[in-house]
Amino acid sequence: MPTRRSVLKGAAATAALPLAGCGEGSTVASYAAVAEEIRRPLAANADLMECVRYATLAANSHNTQPWQFELSSNKVAILPDLSRRTPAVDPDDHHLYASLGCAAENFLLAARARGLYGALEAGADGPIAIAVDAGRPEETDLFAAIPKRQCTRSVYDGRTVPASELALLEHAAAGEGIRLVFLMEKPRIENVLEYVLSANAAQMGDEAFVRELKHWLRFNEAQALATRDGLFSACSGNPTLPGWLVPLVFPFAFTTSGENDRYAEQIRSSSGIAVFVSARDDRAHWIEAGRSFQRFALKATALGIAHAFVNQPVEVPASRSEFAGWLGLGAEERPDFIIRFGYAPPLPMSLRRDVRDVMV
Ligand SMILES: Cc1cc2nc3c(=O)[nH]c(=O)nc-3n(C[C@H](O)[C@H](O)[C@H](O)COP(=O)(O)O)c2cc1C
């Protein structure tokens, strides 16, 4: 998938805009103000709904935010919002359920920070059910990283992440039925790049994929603020573009060779690649893989390490099995995500819908 899409060279769109659902009486706000407001610190006396706000700051595929939350006095259910599926890039809903896992992990960390201990119902294969009990408040570095985490889709500075920090990332990501494969040697990283380029070309040649991606792209702040979801150009390090110019520029700027050049530069600038692998290819494992990725991403953020997905080889089914074979995975295993990591300054943060809009 891709915000990853190098979209467009064009004029920057501007920002004072109508703002929905961001506090009483506010009629205009800039993109930056909304992005900051949704990441305000967790209230000292946070209730479950406030913890849901932190849950929604999780990574999620195409920023579709494919979730709904149902609260009762000591239970939380995280339900798939199937109206937000992305069938072209994610026909089996793997990314959708992984995104629910990412949100569950943020929820558990936020709740624990306020003395609300959540336990996930074992073996969830659809909706996630969390029972909450009182306990001693515990704020971890992962919790503190929740509002700062982002996928940084830029060229990194080439520095190497030390082995001691790789060990911390691996420890944070450890999860039931999930393992992490680090690829740190240049030739192995070049091999991954080849898989990315060929799977990217396949996606770029797939009309349904491009149509779906375009539906979730937001080319300027006004578009991003209107829906508060989707992939905003600036969050991928791309210029913004006035809406009227999009049909004129998009077909010329969004090309297979342009995208491939960009991925090559981004991957070669990274310190390494981490592949998340599920022991089995089912929903319960996809949810666990999402939780594991979210902890990895939060630990990376706490350590000042940037990361981004380069998932093309695990999204195109034919390429996924070839890639799994190259990695030497077992017959039942599934490669869930491919993550590059390294060092880079942050890009603008992405938006989320108001928490009231994701409650059942
Ligand atoms: C399961 C999953 C798959 C994803 N795949 C990709 C991907 O292939 N390429 C990419 O650039 N981002 C990918 N993302 C990142 C999302 O686009 C990103 O989390 C979302 O736009 C919100 O931005 P943020 O994480 O910076 O807050 C993925 C995220 C998840 C959870």
Side-chain angles (χ1 to χ4, degrees), residues 1-4 39 57-63 94-96 98-99 102 149-151 153 230-231 293 309-312 315 337 350 352:
M1 141 180 163
T3 311
R4 48 192 206 199
R39 291 179 174 80
L57 298 178
N60 66 96
S61 182
H62 277 17
N63 199 18
H94 167 278
H95 284 2
L96 187 151
S99 301
C102 295
R149 183 213 55 82
Q150 64 165 215
C151 295
R153 301 181 190 88
L231 301 163
F293 162 75
F309 290 81
V310 278
N311 272 342
Q312 294 87 339
E315 289 171 347
F337 324 117
S350 60
R352 296 293 185 275

Short mmCIF file of all heavy atoms in Angstrom, two decimals, residues 1-4 39 57-63 94-96 98-99 102 149-151 153 230-231 293 309-312 315 337 350 352, ligand 1:
data_model
loop_
_atom_site.label_atom_id
_atom_site.label_comp_id
_atom_site.label_asym_id
_atom_site.label_seq_id
_atom_site.Cartn_x
_atom_site.Cartn_y
_atom_site.Cartn_z
N MET A 1 0.84 -1.18 0.00
CA MET A 1 0.00 0.00 0.00
C MET A 1 0.87 1.23 0.00
O MET A 1 2.05 1.10 -0.05
CB MET A 1 -0.81 -0.09 1.26
CG MET A 1 -0.98 1.20 1.93
SD MET A 1 -1.93 1.00 3.35
CE MET A 1 -1.50 2.50 4.10
N PRO A 2 0.36 2.48 0.10
CA PRO A 2 1.23 3.57 -0.21
C PRO A 2 0.70 4.95 -0.06
O PRO A 2 0.01 5.40 -0.92
CB PRO A 2 1.44 3.40 -1.67
CG PRO A 2 0.39 2.41 -2.09
CD PRO A 2 -0.17 1.80 -0.90
N THR A 3 1.16 5.61 0.72
CA THR A 3 1.11 7.05 0.72
C THR A 3 2.41 7.32 0.16
O THR A 3 2.74 8.34 -0.29
CB THR A 3 1.11 7.57 2.14
OG1 THR A 3 0.20 6.88 2.74
CG2 THR A 3 0.92 9.03 2.26
N ARG A 4 3.00 6.29 0.37
CA ARG A 4 4.15 5.91 -0.35
C ARG A 4 4.08 6.42 -1.76
O ARG A 4 5.02 6.33 -2.49
CB ARG A 4 4.29 4.41 -0.34
CG ARG A 4 3.03 3.69 -0.69
CD ARG A 4 3.24 2.24 -0.36
NE ARG A 4 2.40 1.44 -1.17
CZ ARG A 4 2.10 0.20 -0.89
NH1 ARG A 4 2.59 -0.36 0.15
NH2 ARG A 4 1.36 -0.46 -1.65
N ARG A 39 -3.93 14.49 19.62
CA ARG A 39 -2.82 13.83 20.35
C ARG A 39 -2.56 14.49 21.69
O ARG A 39 -1.48 14.33 22.26
CB ARG A 39 -1.55 13.84 19.49
CG ARG A 39 -1.66 12.94 18.29
CD ARG A 39 -0.44 12.94 17.41
NE ARG A 39 -0.57 11.95 16.35
CZ ARG A 39 -1.26 12.14 15.22
NH1 ARG A 39 -1.85 13.30 14.98
NH2 ARG A 39 -1.36 11.16 14.33
N LEU A 57 -5.09 6.38 17.81
CA LEU A 57 -3.84 6.95 17.29
C LEU A 57 -2.94 5.87 16.70
O LEU A 57 -1.84 6.15 16.23
CB LEU A 57 -3.09 7.72 18.40
CG LEU A 57 -3.85 8.91 19.00
CD1 LEU A 57 -3.03 9.56 20.11
CD2 LEU A 57 -4.19 9.95 17.92
N ALA A 58 -3.42 4.62 16.73
CA ALA A 58 -2.60 3.50 16.25
C ALA A 58 -2.40 3.56 14.74
O ALA A 58 -3.19 4.17 14.01
CB ALA A 58 -3.28 2.19 16.63
N ALA A 59 -1.35 2.86 14.28
CA ALA A 59 -1.16 2.65 12.85
C ALA A 59 -2.37 1.89 12.31
O ALA A 59 -2.96 1.07 13.01
CB ALA A 59 0.11 1.84 12.62
N ASN A 60 -2.74 2.16 11.08
CA ASN A 60 -3.82 1.42 10.44
C ASN A 60 -3.71 1.58 8.94
O ASN A 60 -3.32 2.63 8.44
CB ASN A 60 -5.17 1.88 10.97
CG ASN A 60 -5.49 3.32 10.60
OD1 ASN A 60 -6.19 3.56 9.62
ND2 ASN A 60 -4.96 4.29 11.35
N SER A 61 -4.08 0.53 8.24
CA SER A 61 -3.83 0.45 6.80
C SER A 61 -4.57 1.55 6.03
O SER A 61 -5.79 1.74 6.22
CB SER A 61 -4.28 -0.92 6.32
OG SER A 61 -4.03 -1.06 4.97
N HIS A 62 -3.86 2.29 5.16
CA HIS A 62 -4.41 3.42 4.38
C HIS A 62 -5.05 4.50 5.25
O HIS A 62 -5.82 5.31 4.76
CB HIS A 62 -5.48 2.95 3.38
CG HIS A 62 -4.95 2.40 2.08
ND1 HIS A 62 -3.67 2.00 1.86
CD2 HIS A 62 -5.58 2.21 0.88
CE1 HIS A 62 -3.53 1.57 0.60
NE2 HIS A 62 -4.68 1.69 -0.01
N ASN A 63 -4.81 4.46 6.55
CA ASN A 63 -5.50 5.36 7.49
C ASN A 63 -7.02 5.37 7.27
O ASN A 63 -7.68 6.40 7.35
CB ASN A 63 -4.94 6.80 7.42
CG ASN A 63 -5.29 7.62 8.64
OD1 ASN A 63 -5.64 7.08 9.70
ND2 ASN A 63 -5.23 8.94 8.53
N HIS A 94 -6.57 -9.05 5.95
CA HIS A 94 -5.42 -9.22 6.85
C HIS A 94 -5.03 -7.88 7.48
O HIS A 94 -4.88 -7.77 8.70
CB HIS A 94 -4.23 -9.79 6.06
CG HIS A 94 -2.91 -9.71 6.77
ND1 HIS A 94 -2.14 -8.57 6.80
CD2 HIS A 94 -2.25 -10.63 7.52
CE1 HIS A 94 -1.05 -8.79 7.52
NE2 HIS A 94 -1.09 -10.03 7.96
N HIS A 95 -4.87 -6.84 6.65
CA HIS A 95 -4.44 -5.53 7.17
C HIS A 95 -5.52 -4.94 8.09
O HIS A 95 -5.20 -4.25 9.06
CB HIS A 95 -4.19 -4.55 6.02
CG HIS A 95 -2.90 -4.78 5.27
ND1 HIS A 95 -2.04 -5.81 5.55
CD2 HIS A 95 -2.32 -4.08 4.25
CE1 HIS A 95 -0.98 -5.74 4.73
NE2 HIS A 95 -1.14 -4.70 3.93
N LEU A 96 -6.78 -5.19 7.73
CA LEU A 96 -7.86 -4.63 8.55
C LEU A 96 -7.79 -5.20 9.97
O LEU A 96 -7.82 -4.45 10.95
CB LEU A 96 -9.21 -4.95 7.89
CG LEU A 96 -10.45 -4.32 8.52
CD1 LEU A 96 -11.53 -4.09 7.45
CD2 LEU A 96 -11.03 -5.18 9.63
N ALA A 98 -5.21 -6.67 11.39
CA ALA A 98 -3.95 -6.24 12.01
C ALA A 98 -4.12 -4.82 12.58
O ALA A 98 -3.60 -4.51 13.67
CB ALA A 98 -2.83 -6.28 10.99
N SER A 99 -4.84 -3.97 11.87
CA SER A 99 -5.06 -2.59 12.35
C SER A 99 -5.85 -2.61 13.66
O SER A 99 -5.59 -1.81 14.57
CB SER A 99 -5.83 -1.77 11.30
OG SER A 99 -5.10 -1.71 10.08
N CYS A 102 -3.40 -3.27 16.32
CA CYS A 102 -2.61 -2.08 16.66
C CYS A 102 -3.40 -1.21 17.65
O CYS A 102 -2.85 -0.72 18.65
CB CYS A 102 -2.31 -1.25 15.40
SG CYS A 102 -1.26 -2.08 14.18
N ARG A 149 4.28 8.61 17.84
CA ARG A 149 4.58 7.61 16.80
C ARG A 149 3.99 8.00 15.45
O ARG A 149 2.89 8.51 15.37
CB ARG A 149 3.99 6.25 17.22
CG ARG A 149 4.29 5.11 16.26
CD ARG A 149 3.17 4.10 16.20
NE ARG A 149 1.90 4.72 15.87
CZ ARG A 149 1.53 5.02 14.63
NH1 ARG A 149 2.28 4.72 13.59
NH2 ARG A 149 0.35 5.62 14.42
N GLN A 150 4.73 7.79 14.41
CA GLN A 150 4.21 7.97 13.06
C GLN A 150 4.97 7.03 12.12
O GLN A 150 6.07 6.57 12.45
CB GLN A 150 4.43 9.41 12.56
CG GLN A 150 5.88 9.79 12.42
CD GLN A 150 6.12 11.06 11.58
OE1 GLN A 150 7.11 11.14 10.88
NE2 GLN A 150 5.25 12.06 11.68
N CYS A 151 4.39 6.76 10.95
CA CYS A 151 5.13 6.09 9.89
C CYS A 151 5.85 7.20 9.13
O CYS A 151 5.21 8.11 8.61
CB CYS A 151 4.18 5.36 8.95
SG CYS A 151 3.33 4.02 9.79
N ARG A 153 7.68 8.25 6.04
CA ARG A 153 7.91 7.76 4.67
C ARG A 153 8.85 8.70 3.93
O ARG A 153 8.46 9.32 2.94
CB ARG A 153 6.58 7.64 3.93
CG ARG A 153 5.58 6.72 4.59
CD ARG A 153 4.32 6.66 3.77
NE ARG A 153 3.24 5.97 4.44
CZ ARG A 153 2.38 6.56 5.25
NH1 ARG A 153 2.48 7.85 5.52
NH2 ARG A 153 1.40 5.87 5.80
N GLY A 230 -7.63 8.75 5.70
CA GLY A 230 -6.92 8.68 4.43
C GLY A 230 -5.46 9.14 4.52
O GLY A 230 -4.96 9.49 5.58
N LEU A 231 -4.82 9.13 3.37
CA LEU A 231 -3.38 9.35 3.27
C LEU A 231 -3.10 10.74 2.74
O LEU A 231 -3.27 11.01 1.55
CB LEU A 231 -2.79 8.29 2.33
CG LEU A 231 -3.02 6.83 2.78
CD1 LEU A 231 -2.81 5.85 1.64
CD2 LEU A 231 -2.12 6.49 3.96
N PHE A 293 3.51 -5.40 16.05
CA PHE A 293 4.06 -4.27 15.27
C PHE A 293 3.91 -2.97 16.06
O PHE A 293 4.82 -2.13 16.11
CB PHE A 293 3.35 -4.11 13.91
CG PHE A 293 3.59 -2.73 13.36
CD1 PHE A 293 4.83 -2.41 12.82
CD2 PHE A 293 2.64 -1.72 13.49
CE1 PHE A 293 5.11 -1.11 12.39
CE2 PHE A 293 2.91 -0.42 13.06
CZ PHE A 293 4.15 -0.12 12.52
N PHE A 309 6.35 1.22 6.52
CA PHE A 309 6.03 -0.06 5.86
C PHE A 309 6.50 -0.02 4.40
O PHE A 309 6.36 1.01 3.74
CB PHE A 309 4.51 -0.28 5.84
CG PHE A 309 3.87 -0.56 7.17
CD1 PHE A 309 3.57 0.47 8.05
CD2 PHE A 309 3.52 -1.86 7.52
CE1 PHE A 309 2.94 0.22 9.26
CE2 PHE A 309 2.90 -2.12 8.73
CZ PHE A 309 2.61 -1.08 9.61
N VAL A 310 6.98 -1.16 3.92
CA VAL A 310 7.17 -1.36 2.47
C VAL A 310 6.57 -2.74 2.16
O VAL A 310 7.28 -3.71 1.91
CB VAL A 310 8.65 -1.27 2.04
CG1 VAL A 310 9.07 0.17 1.85
CG2 VAL A 310 9.60 -1.95 3.03
N ASN A 311 5.26 -2.78 2.18
CA ASN A 311 4.53 -4.05 2.22
C ASN A 311 4.23 -4.70 0.89
O ASN A 311 3.65 -5.80 0.86
CB ASN A 311 3.18 -3.81 2.91
CG ASN A 311 3.27 -3.97 4.41
OD1 ASN A 311 4.21 -4.55 4.92
ND2 ASN A 311 2.28 -3.44 5.11
N GLN A 312 4.56 -4.03 -0.20
CA GLN A 312 4.12 -4.55 -1.51
C GLN A 312 4.33 -6.06 -1.68
O GLN A 312 3.42 -6.76 -2.14
CB GLN A 312 4.83 -3.80 -2.66
CG GLN A 312 4.48 -2.35 -2.79
CD GLN A 312 5.35 -1.45 -1.93
OE1 GLN A 312 5.95 -1.89 -0.96
NE2 GLN A 312 5.40 -0.18 -2.28
N GLU A 315 1.66 -8.00 -0.05
CA GLU A 315 0.28 -7.66 -0.43
C GLU A 315 -0.14 -8.36 -1.73
O GLU A 315 -1.31 -8.71 -1.90
CB GLU A 315 0.15 -6.13 -0.59
CG GLU A 315 0.20 -5.42 0.75
CD GLU A 315 0.29 -3.90 0.66
OE1 GLU A 315 0.55 -3.37 -0.44
OE2 GLU A 315 0.11 -3.25 1.69
N PHE A 337 4.11 -8.16 7.65
CA PHE A 337 4.51 -6.79 7.28
C PHE A 337 6.01 -6.75 7.02
O PHE A 337 6.77 -7.50 7.62
CB PHE A 337 4.28 -5.77 8.41
CG PHE A 337 3.07 -6.01 9.24
CD1 PHE A 337 3.19 -6.28 10.60
CD2 PHE A 337 1.80 -5.93 8.69
CE1 PHE A 337 2.09 -6.50 11.39
CE2 PHE A 337 0.68 -6.15 9.48
CZ PHE A 337 0.83 -6.44 10.83
N SER A 350 -0.42 12.36 10.96
CA SER A 350 -1.68 12.08 10.26
C SER A 350 -2.87 12.43 11.15
O SER A 350 -2.72 12.59 12.37
CB SER A 350 -1.72 10.61 9.88
OG SER A 350 -1.64 9.83 11.05
N ARG A 352 -6.96 11.75 12.67
CA ARG A 352 -7.92 10.70 13.03
C ARG A 352 -9.29 11.34 13.16
O ARG A 352 -9.40 12.54 13.48
CB ARG A 352 -7.57 10.05 14.38
CG ARG A 352 -6.26 9.31 14.40
CD ARG A 352 -6.27 8.06 13.52
NE ARG A 352 -5.01 7.33 13.68
CZ ARG A 352 -3.89 7.60 12.99
NH1 ARG A 352 -3.88 8.57 12.09
NH2 ARG A 352 -2.80 6.88 13.19
C1 LIG B 1 -1.57 -3.42 8.57
C2 LIG B 1 -0.97 -2.13 8.07
C3 LIG B 1 -0.45 -2.09 6.77
C4 LIG B 1 0.15 -0.91 6.32
N1 LIG B 1 0.73 -0.90 5.07
C5 LIG B 1 1.39 0.22 4.65
C6 LIG B 1 2.11 0.23 3.43
O1 LIG B 1 2.18 -0.78 2.73
N2 LIG B 1 2.75 1.36 3.05
C7 LIG B 1 2.74 2.48 3.81
O2 LIG B 1 3.34 3.48 3.43
N3 LIG B 1 2.07 2.50 5.00
C8 LIG B 1 1.41 1.41 5.43
N4 LIG B 1 0.77 1.40 6.65
C9 LIG B 1 0.82 2.62 7.49
C10 LIG B 1 -0.48 3.38 7.46
O3 LIG B 1 -0.71 3.97 6.19
C11 LIG B 1 -0.44 4.45 8.57
O4 LIG B 1 -0.42 3.80 9.81
C12 LIG B 1 -1.62 5.40 8.51
O5 LIG B 1 -1.61 6.15 7.31
C13 LIG B 1 -1.64 6.37 9.69
O6 LIG B 1 -0.45 7.09 9.74
P1 LIG B 1 0.50 7.04 11.04
O7 LIG B 1 0.82 5.61 11.30
O8 LIG B 1 1.70 7.84 10.64
O9 LIG B 1 -0.28 7.64 12.16
C14 LIG B 1 0.18 0.24 7.14
C15 LIG B 1 -0.36 0.17 8.44
C16 LIG B 1 -0.90 -1.01 8.90
C17 LIG B 1 -1.42 -1.08 10.32
#
